[in-house]
Amino acid sequence: MPRRLPVRRDRAHLRIAVATALLATGLTACSSAPAENSGSGNPVAGGTLNVMRANPFEGFELDKQTLNSSFQISDAVLEPLIRAGADGKTLEPGLAASWSYNAGNTVLTLKLQPDAVFSDGTPVTAEDVVFSAETWKSGSNYGATYAVIAKAKAVDEHTVEFRLAYPDTALPAFLSWSSAGVVPDDFGGKPAKEFWQKPVGAGAFTVEKWSANGEVVLKKNPRYWRDGLPHLDQVVSTFAADPNTIGLRLRSGQADMADEIWAVTASTLPKEYVKSQPEHLTPVLLMNTEDPALADPKVRQAIGYALDYSALVTSAYKGFGTVPSGALPTNSKNWAAPSKPYFAHDPAKAKSLLGTAGPAKLTLHYANDPSSGLVAQIVQRNLGAVGVTVELQSGDASSTFATVSGGDYQLGMFSYNAISPDVSDPAWYVAGTRSMFTGLNPDPLVAALGDYAGTDDVKAKAAAVTRVQDILFEQAPFLALAHVSALEGQRTVVKGAEITPWGTYYLDTVWKSE
Amino acid sequence: MTAVAVSQSRARRDGSRTKITVGLSITGLYVLVALLAPWLRPADPLAQDVANALAPPSGGHWLGTDELGRDVLSRILTGASIDLPIALAVTLLPCLLGTALGVVAGYFGGWADAVVMRVSDLLQAFPMYILMIVLVFGLGPGTSSLLISFTAVGWVVYARLVRGEVARVRSAEYVAAAVTGGLRAPRIIALHVLPNTLRQTFVYLTSDLVFAVTALAAFSFLGFGVQQPTPEWGAMIAAAQPYLDAAPWLTVVPGLVIAVLAFGLALLGDGLQDGTGRR
């Protein structure tokens, strides 16, 4: 399952962004209405939603959350200022009713919902947001993302101003991350550790109890500011990773929803139980550019042409995906294609690029989950066909992630996606994680992304994204293997879940028809 | 001896022979399949045909195809040539090590005996499976890790068994005569001690093979053993787990293959034990 590590924007970004500030013009604003639930019929109030999550819950401390399963639960309690639209391309009001930039894109002003209160009845004020912003910035993981907020200032009780260190039109997208949840000023007078154990937020639910590998129980927040929401009285989230268990519990009615189910699980469920989102999740084959056998971009490109992407989509992802059209996840706002066609299965071209100096043997690290094992075997077969022997090395998800993120590998498998409606989100992730663990110099990517953030011109943004795609195509530090749909297992009695392309949804709009 | 006792003894001997015959037949069949697998299998066990994945048993694929469209029958047949040699190796290596240490401990006694026995006490204090899993986890998955962990843990039983037998034989008059005659210890052990102690070890070895076959499958099932795409039976069951509902033959067939082999080996071991009159 995709794991999100914090994006780390470095100083290079700051310099480039300042240089492009002169190009930035206009005003960005949003004040659209909250999303209506998409379920059929009139919502029914009450009931308990039993959800199965595929990953542990990492707790409510905002800076420590890296998994979709954590983001979703956290959002329900510690509502952020801005929400991600279900289409994965729009932003919607959260605790901020509207937001706007100044002409230079250096000041972001947010107007708060006037009726919003925390679950203990205290009103949500600009001072709370100022304290929250300082909390986000102090995090060792996500702090760098919010370092662009040079100063947070309460203009009045319901207006807050973020003065930016450099023009950054992408910041509202990053404010929709769960890491930007709003907390009460000074944690409501509690020590931080105590607060995170049972936080008080302005979200639709309150915390009844939680454990990482067990149940998370959320209760309806009767003071929630959105009229008529949430519909449910209670949400119980249970951790279960085994595909057979998930399938059986859904069918038997013990679970109402199962988040982030594997394609193989989806393929065995009745069709009406499977909600498939637009293709977005992007599994990748990582190639360590610092390994002598893979240092030459031609070798990495050759591997790109050796792979049978159709076989991967058919077999490993059971048809819930498409062949890759670029290195960046599709169905994101401002996504643009590379200027040349992305890699396709062409063994002859692969052999030609490899020449006589290609690597004879490589080791591939992968997690022993239902999809990765199949991908690894197909990759092994494909590379064997062009003369490269691949030794497979499986491990559990955590140890495999530690291996590849530590750079101690030749070939590795990973999956990445956006967690906000902006293509720069996953692109920053690549740049901020040593070009996604491959050792590729991120400076050219950072330069392109700096241009992207510094402008609000759509064409200029598209050009910057194409530059990123081209770099990732020419240098091929990793290969997108497919663009895959996020899959949700859902009983037909469940309505109103508006699922983003990366697989999360807000719990307040969900209801059950029975 | 009464007529009843004679009759019981004969019945036990006949039962033992039957067990040995059936056990040997089953095991022999597996050995034959392992040896002839390259000629018996209808297809390349690694050849993928993703368009034909999870096909049910049919004329083209007698046992269907797996999640990558590979012929299950070919993989099962090839699995015999992978599982049997590894099972034999992970049984023989601890047997050899345990026998050597048991002989040293039983024959020489003293500090050698104390060291071997205390180390074996220490190892037996831990649950065997857990200790093996910890070792394989530390060493990383693969056949060599299995060999090391099985040997490091499995020698203890052989050492205790052999030590007891050697200590018994050591006090026999013919051994005392050999010592008095001036024969050196290695010669005495080789000529007089080992031949009179190995029968029990051999009987236990056949029982241990049953454990090796099932443990090997279990380790591969857990992802610690033989890695994909090698058609090892335990790994095949593990890979088929998500398809339990859609393609049950992927788990049932290798499961049955392991069960029948274990049954054959168990019968063989049981028959040999009955034959020796010891349990």
Side-chain angles (χ1 to χ4, degrees):
Chain A
M1 283 286 151
R3 172 180 283 264
R4 165 47 57 114
L5 277 186
V7 170
R8 294 187 183 279
R9 304 189 201 193
D10 60 15
R11 290 175 184 278
H13 169 227
L14 191 150
R15 286 197 304 274
I16 293 155
V18 169
T20 55
L22 294 174
L23 299 173
T25 54
L27 189 75
T28 306
C30 177
S31 58
S32 59
E36 291 299 318
N37 77 61
S38 59
S40 56
N42 292 323
V44 176
T48 296
L49 183 77
N50 290 297
V51 184
M52 294 169 70
R53 62 180 194 279
N55 288 297
F57 174 61
E58 298 155 297
F60 286 96
E61 188 170 354
L62 300 173
D63 192 58
K64 304 294 183 228
Q65 299 164 358
T66 64
L67 298 165
N68 271 2
S69 49
S70 302
F71 302 152
Q72 187 157 297
I73 292 168
S74 182
D75 279 341
V77 176
L78 298 163
E79 180 151 330
L81 291 165
I82 296 172
R83 282 189 173 207
D87 62 357
K89 296 177 181 176
T90 52
L91 292 170
E92 294 173 355
L95 282 178
S98 65
W99 55 95
S100 60
Y101 274 101
N102 69 344
N105 294 324
T106 53
V107 178
L108 177 65
T109 304
L110 300 111
K111 297 273 188 191
L112 302 182
Q113 301 284 356
D115 300 328
V117 294
F118 290 105
S119 58
D120 63 0
T122 316
V124 177
T125 66
E127 288 299 341
D128 296 313
V129 177
V130 169
F131 176 78
S132 298
E134 293 305 320
T135 306
W136 310 333
K137 286 168 66 179
S138 67
S140 58
N141 286 328
Y142 292 97
T145 299
Y146 302 106
V148 65
I149 304 171
K151 185 173 171 57
K153 182 183 159 192
V155 177
D156 60 39
E157 195 180 352
H158 290 113
T159 307
V160 69
E161 206 173 77
F162 289 162
R163 294 190 172 276
L164 308 185
Y166 45 86
D168 188 353
T169 57
L171 181 61
F174 295 109
L175 293 179
S176 71
W177 286 5
S178 69
S179 57
V182 174
V183 297
D185 189 10
D186 195 30
F187 296 124
K190 291 180 184 168
K193 198 174 174 183
E194 187 186 326
F195 177 84
W196 294 128
Q197 195 57 35
K198 197 163 185 181
V200 171
F205 293 89
T206 60
V207 185
E208 185 70 10
K209 65 172 186 175
W210 68 272
S211 71
N213 293 310
E215 278 188 354
V216 178
V217 180
L218 306 178
K219 293 272 186 192
K220 177 179 185 170
N221 173 9
R223 298 190 172 100
Y224 190 49
W225 59 273
R226 288 179 203 263
D227 287 339
L229 297 180
H231 299 301
L232 297 161
D233 286 338
Q234 181 173 261
V235 175
V236 179
S237 168
T238 312
F239 173 51
D242 175 56
N244 290 310
T245 307
I246 292 169
L248 287 170
R249 286 199 191 166
L250 270 176
R251 287 178 192 216
S252 68
Q254 291 178 66
D256 300 310
M257 298 182 80
D259 297 338
E260 302 180 276
I261 58 173
W262 296 105
V264 61
T265 310
S267 69
T268 60
L269 284 171
K271 280 183 181 171
E272 63 270 23
Y273 278 59
V274 179
K275 302 296 171 197
S276 171
Q277 308 312 313
E279 296 85 3
H280 172 79
L281 310 178
T282 303
V284 292
L285 179 70
L286 307 174
M287 294 179 280
N288 192 342
T289 65
E290 292 171 338
D291 188 284
L294 293 163
D296 184 350
K298 276 189 181 174
V299 171
R300 304 195 294 265
Q301 288 173 359
I303 293 173
Y305 287 111
L307 302 184
D308 185 347
Y309 300 94
S310 296
L312 289 167
V313 170
T314 305
S315 180
Y317 306 113
K318 308 297 176 205
F320 292 107
T322 60
V323 295
S325 49
L328 296 173
T330 45
N331 288 305
S332 305
K333 186 183 177 187
N334 294 326
W335 188 91
S339 57
K340 294 175 189 170
Y342 197 61
F343 296 105
H345 189 211
D346 188 346
K349 193 168 183 177
K351 281 183 184 170
S352 156
L353 281 166
L354 281 171
T356 53
K361 190 177 178 186
L362 295 168
T363 302
L364 168 59
H365 289 266
Y366 68 100
N368 46 11
D369 60 57
S371 293
S372 300
L374 295 178
V375 173
Q377 291 177 72
I378 293 171
V379 168
Q380 183 189 47
R381 196 77 180 164
N382 291 163
L383 293 188
V386 297
V388 181
T389 302
V390 176
E391 184 186 324
L392 301 184
Q393 193 77 56
S394 73
D396 63 276
S398 297
S399 65
T400 303
F401 179 71
T403 301
V404 299
S405 61
D408 185 22
Y409 72 98
Q410 286 185 309
L411 299 176
M413 280 174 52
F414 188 65
S415 182
Y416 83 127
N417 53 269
I419 52 170
S420 64
D422 198 303
V423 74
S424 73
D425 171 342
W428 270 118
Y429 181 73
V430 174
T433 49
R434 288 176 59 251
S435 298
M436 201 148 76
F437 319 131
T438 62
L440 182 78
N441 177 12
D443 287 349
L445 295 172
V446 170
L449 290 170
D451 289 348
Y452 177 94
T455 181
D456 46 19
D457 178 69
V458 174
K459 283 185 180 174
K461 280 185 183 287
V465 174
T466 296
R467 267 169 63 204
V468 171
Q469 295 269 35
D470 287 349
I471 292 165
L472 295 177
F473 174 71
E474 297 292 340
Q475 291 297 316
F478 61 83
L479 303 164
L481 300 173
H483 299 302
V484 183
S485 300
L487 299 167
E488 183 78 19
Q490 186 177 313
R491 289 177 64 219
T492 50
V493 296
V494 178
K495 314 284 182 190
E498 300 168 334
I499 304 168
T500 60
W502 50 92
T504 59
Y505 54 94
Y506 295 102
L507 286 162
D508 56 357
T509 58
V510 180
W511 55 282
K512 284 169 73 176
S513 62
E514 67 176 19
Chain B
M1 190 178 277
T2 64
V4 173
V6 169
S7 169
Q8 282 179 340
S9 170
R10 189 174 295 155
R12 192 183 302 122
R13 202 165 54 241
D14 288 349
S16 161
R17 278 183 190 152
T18 308
K19 285 178 183 174
I20 292 173
T21 306
V22 176
L24 264 181
S25 303
I26 293 172
T27 313
L29 183 67
Y30 274 74
V31 172
L32 205 63
V33 167
L35 292 172
L36 300 177
W39 296 277
L40 290 176
R41 63 191 179 208
D44 177 352
L46 300 179
Q48 299 172 2
D49 178 12
V50 292
N52 198 23
L54 301 177
S58 66
H61 299 281
W62 289 4
L63 296 179
T65 63
D66 70 4
E67 66 278 13
L68 287 171
R70 296 172 296 206
D71 183 62
V72 174
L73 176 60
S74 302
R75 290 176 68 75
I76 289 284
L77 294 174
T78 309
S81 62
I82 292 159
D83 279 66
L84 285 184
I86 299 176
L88 200 61
V90 298
T91 312
L92 278 179
L93 283 176
C95 174
L96 291 174
L97 179 64
T99 301
L101 291 172
V103 165
V104 170
Y107 189 84
F108 295 104
W111 65 266
D113 186 29
V115 169
V116 171
M117 287 302 102
R118 292 302 79 72
V119 173
S120 67
D121 286 346
L122 191 70
L123 285 172
Q124 284 196 313
F126 293 97
M128 190 169 63
Y129 253 117
I130 303 291
L131 196 57
M132 287 161 77
I133 287 173
V134 168
L135 279 170
V136 174
F137 190 78
L139 294 166
T143 310
S144 53
S145 301
L146 288 178
L147 289 175
I148 292 170
S149 71
F150 273 69
T151 306
V153 176
W155 65 269
V156 173
V157 178
Y158 290 99
R160 286 190 175 277
L161 193 68
V162 171
R163 174 190 172 269
E165 288 292 307
V166 168
R168 183 179 58 80
V169 172
R170 173 81 174 82
S171 59
E173 285 181 4
Y174 60 90
V175 175
V179 173
T180 311
L183 287 183
R184 301 184 68 172
R187 195 173 166 83
I188 296 170
I189 291 169
L191 294 179
H192 300 291
V193 177
L194 271 180
N196 291 298
T197 57
L198 283 185
R199 195 169 58 170
Q200 281 308 306
T201 310
F202 180 71
V203 171
Y204 181 75
L205 186 104
T206 53
S207 306
D208 202 23
L209 262 172
V210 181
F211 168 77
V213 167
T214 51
L216 180 65
F219 272 77
S220 296
F221 179 82
L222 293 171
F224 295 135
V226 179
Q227 298 290 292
Q228 291 280 8
T230 311
E232 194 280 329
W233 296 329
M236 287 170 70
I237 295 174
Q241 206 185 353
Y243 309 97
L244 208 54
D245 197 24
W249 60 88
L250 292 179
T251 38
V252 170
V253 174
L256 274 177
V257 166
I258 293 168
V260 172
L261 175 60
F263 176 67
L265 288 168
L267 271 184
L268 186 59
D270 216 29
L272 287 172
Q273 278 180 339
D274 286 349
T276 59
R278 293 188 186 187
R279 278 202 173 262

